[in-house]
Amino acid sequence: DCFVTGRGNNRTGWSNAKFDDLIDVQAQRTVDTAARFALMKEAEKILVEEELPIMPLYNFVAIALYRDGLGGFYPNPLDEHPWAAMYWVDEEIEEP
């Protein structure tokens, strides 16, 4: 969805009608998991083999280390954690 024409997360400005159709029309309407996977694989081939508007170099991995008692810290798909939303819980924290 990040590379469908006109989407807010398409920061590349790249556009491909066949890719858009595979992702936004065919895959969205397909309920069969195997068929949907095949459509997504075909779209992925356009994205990373044929047209290459992006070049994946690595996969981002984040490790969040924090002490027990920290509130307002929740896992989320974007791995964003606003400091203003965090707070210390009033419970006593045992020192290691």
Side-chain angles (χ1 to χ4, degrees), residues 23-38:
I23 297 290
D24 213 26
V25 177
Q26 294 183 48
Q28 290 286 347
R29 294 181 182 167
T30 303
V31 294
D32 177 18
T33 306
R36 182 179 167 89
F37 183 77

Side-chain angles (χ1 to χ4, degrees), residues 21-95:
D21 181 60
L22 286 166
I23 297 290
D24 213 26
V25 177
Q26 294 183 48
Q28 290 286 347
R29 294 181 182 167
T30 303
V31 294
D32 177 18
T33 306
R36 182 179 167 89
F37 183 77
L39 291 166
M40 297 297 276
K41 188 173 180 179
E42 188 178 344
E44 181 181 54
K45 184 176 180 181
I46 293 170
L47 186 67
V48 297
E49 290 182 18
E50 297 174 7
E51 298 222 0
L52 206 64
I54 58 162
M55 183 173 291
L57 300 176
Y58 68 94
N59 289 329
F60 176 76
V61 176
I63 299 173
L65 299 175
Y66 56 92
R67 288 179 60 168
D68 289 339
L70 180 63
F73 186 94
Y74 305 100
N76 64 72
L78 296 177
D79 197 29
E80 294 178 352
H81 311 282
W83 292 104
M86 293 183 199
Y87 56 91
W88 289 110
V89 178
D90 291 334
E91 299 172 9
E92 287 188 32
I93 300 170
E94 290 184 28
E95 293 296 324

Side-chain angles (χ1 to χ4, degrees), residues 1-36:
D1 190 60
C2 288
F3 299 99
V4 173
T5 303
R7 294 290 164 84
N9 286 327
N10 184 352
R11 298 179 187 159
T12 65
W14 177 73
S15 179
N16 180 296
K18 184 175 180 184
F19 178 88
D20 292 349
D21 181 60
L22 286 166
I23 297 290
D24 213 26
V25 177
Q26 294 183 48
Q28 290 286 347
R29 294 181 182 167
T30 303
V31 294
D32 177 18
T33 306
R36 182 179 167 89

